[in-house]
């Protein structure tokens, strides 16, 4: 049986990624095709389908912010991952408050424990998505030990479990 890749590679960290258009109008959407790439300097990647409003924004302003929500923000994650900024202001709809970023134009989302301001270094199509590689140019970390939202597929998510160590104690 052929399964979708999201059901084969899980759970995945979920982020609320903010972008903006050339006039500075911001948008936010949920992304779980997301990975770190480099320690120093920090680079990361995510994958965006070309139908997303986020993709249109990234072609206008090559900057974004990766806002990592806590599991208490699952409802907001769902709203931002099921509605498009083309038709609706998701900040208002999901009740998300924003703050100005320091180095990029898209805003950061208040309350997300990790906020990574990024510039686009590469955007290239692979299959039905574009891989976006970003360089982290500024970071805001309010809490290191938080509970991320872990995505499986569709509306199914996981919550982080028990911490385990590779070394027997
Ligand atoms: C938890 C979750 C994770 C998602 N991950 C991705 C992803 O990695 N890449 C992608 O293109 N869309 C992903 N989506 C779908 C987009 O978030 C969704 O299409 C959204 O409406 C796009 O908003 P926009 O049109 O404002 O950019 C995800 C949706 C959810 C709920």
């Amino acid at each position: 049986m052929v399964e979708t890749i999201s059901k084969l590679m899980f759970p995945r960290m979920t982020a609320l990624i903010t972008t903006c258009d050339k006039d500075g109008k911001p948008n936010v959407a949920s992304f779980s095709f997301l990975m770190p790439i480099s320690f120093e300097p920090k680079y990361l990647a995510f994958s965006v389908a070309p139908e997303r409003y986020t993709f249109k924004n990234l072609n206008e302003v090559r900057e974004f912010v990766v806002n990592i929500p806590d599991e208490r923000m699952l409802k907001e994650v769902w709203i931002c991952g099921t509605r498009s900024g083309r038709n609706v202001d998701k900040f208002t709809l999901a009740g998300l408050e924003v703050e100005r970023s320091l180095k990029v134009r898209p805003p950061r989302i208040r309350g997300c424990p990790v906020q990574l301001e990024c510039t686009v270094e590469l955007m290239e199509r692979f299959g039905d998505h574009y891989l976006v590689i970003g360089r982290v140019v500024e970071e805001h970390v309010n809490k290191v030990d938080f509970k991320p939202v872990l995505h499986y597929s569709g509306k199914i998510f996981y919550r982080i479990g028990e911490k385990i160590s590779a070394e027997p104690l």
Side-chain angles (χ1 to χ4, degrees):
M1 186 174 117
V2 180
E3 264 307 356
T4 58
I5 197 160
S6 54
K7 291 182 179 169
L8 300 174
M9 298 179 70
F10 72 95
R12 297 175 308 283
M13 185 100 160
T14 307
L16 292 167
I17 296 187
T18 42
T19 54
C20 69
D21 69 12
K22 56 184 179 332
D23 301 320
K25 186 170 161 273
N27 183 43
V28 52
S30 303
F31 290 86
S32 68
F33 282 19
L34 178 74
M35 66 176 280
I37 296 180
S38 158
F39 283 119
E40 197 47 57
K42 289 186 176 74
Y43 280 90
L44 54 82
F46 73 100
S47 156
V48 58
E51 307 82 62
R52 313 292 184 236
Y53 196 63
T54 297
F55 180 71
K56 184 206 74 99
N57 277 357
L58 285 170
N59 281 293
E60 292 184 15
V61 175
R62 290 172 67 88
E63 298 174 341
F64 60 95
V65 182
V66 171
N67 303 273
I68 303 183
D70 182 83
E71 65 173 33
R72 283 169 297 193
M73 294 173 79
L74 180 56
K75 187 163 163 262
E76 290 85 337
V77 164
W78 187 245
I79 292 171
C80 294
T82 51
R83 307 290 296 271
S84 178
R86 198 170 277 114
N87 320 305
V88 72
D89 177 346
K90 287 187 264 184
F91 298 101
T92 307
L93 191 70
L96 294 170
E97 283 182 37
V98 294
E99 277 179 77
R100 278 180 78 96
S101 292
L102 298 182
K103 303 238 173 84
V104 300
R105 277 166 282 176
R108 320 181 260 138
I109 296 176
R110 187 171 292 163
C112 283
V114 175
Q115 304 153 1
L116 304 172
E117 300 183 18
C118 301
T119 53
V120 173
E121 294 283 322
L122 179 138
M123 201 150 72
E124 194 174 322
R125 187 167 194 145
F126 289 94
D128 48 22
H129 279 59
Y130 276 77
L131 174 73
V132 180
I133 295 183
R135 181 182 174 136
V136 178
V137 292
E138 187 68 57
E139 58 189 88
H140 310 265
V141 181
N142 301 318
K143 202 164 176 281
V144 182
D145 197 15
F146 64 100
K147 292 189 170 148
V149 176
L150 305 176
H151 194 208
Y152 173 56
S153 185
K155 55 179 70 163
I156 307 300
F157 294 83
Y158 285 87
R159 93 163 14 114
I160 201 157
E162 199 186 331
K163 206 176 273 182
I164 51 175
S165 167
E167 294 285 329
L169 295 173

